Amino acid sequence: MVEQARYLSDEWFGLNLRAASGWPEQPGVDCSVNYEVAGAPDGKVRYHAVIRDGRLVEMAAGKLADADVSIIYKYADARAEISAGQHPDLAYMSGQMKLEGDYARWVFGLRPLLDSAEYDAFRSTLAESTEF
């Protein structure tokens, strides 16, 4: 049976960490990200993630004071991306995801991770394990 977690819950943050546990180390692939999801069932939700050397080392509710990048979604767009297992580039290129801050760190610096087979598997796991 596939583990299930409600989107944007503490359990879902933990699911992300477990699903990313197999990502290989990639020195220099680093980014700290604040996420904001507007229009969620419980209102606006803010959470953060820290990627260090290509590994997801932290994901939890709340904002980081000094994040490299902020990513802003409408709930419907974030839900569509996750439930379909889409690559985040599609959301960015279609205007469903807004980036603020160090744009190059996200778009180019994370490329070795975002284009990896491990990240593809991660997106698939989230698609089948996230409850909305």
Side-chain angles (χ1 to χ4, degrees), residues 97-118:
M97 168 205 291
K98 182 178 176 186
L99 282 175
E100 295 178 350
D102 191 347
Y103 159 90
R105 184 177 295 253
W106 173 268
V107 174
F108 303 112
L110 289 183
R111 191 63 33 211
L113 170 63
L114 297 178
D115 289 344
S116 70
E118 291 84 5

Side-chain angles (χ1 to χ4, degrees), residues 2-111:
V2 175
E3 175 187 5
Q4 297 288 303
R6 187 174 61 84
Y7 181 49
L8 301 175
S9 67
D10 289 337
E11 292 78 18
W12 187 75
F13 301 139
L15 171 67
N16 277 260
L17 289 165
R18 289 186 296 284
S21 65
W23 292 357
E25 185 174 342
Q26 299 183 57
V29 177
D30 303 315
C31 192
S32 57
V33 185
N34 280 328
Y35 291 88
E36 181 177 299
V37 181
D42 296 329
K44 187 182 295 183
V45 177
R46 292 183 175 101
Y47 66 99
H48 67 274
V50 177
I51 298 166
R52 190 172 303 123
D53 291 327
R55 310 287 312 267
L56 182 63
V57 297
E58 182 179 336
M59 187 172 204
K63 288 178 66 171
L64 296 171
D66 57 351
D68 298 316
V69 176
S70 292
I71 295 177
I72 302 163
Y73 282 105
K74 292 179 184 170
Y75 178 79
D77 294 334
R79 178 181 176 163
E81 178 186 326
I82 291 167
S83 64
Q86 291 179 339
H87 195 288
D89 284 354
L90 295 175
Y92 177 70
M93 289 185 291
S94 67
Q96 295 172 318
M97 168 205 291
K98 182 178 176 186
L99 282 175
E100 295 178 350
D102 191 347
Y103 159 90
R105 184 177 295 253
W106 173 268
V107 174
F108 303 112
L110 289 183
R111 191 63 33 211

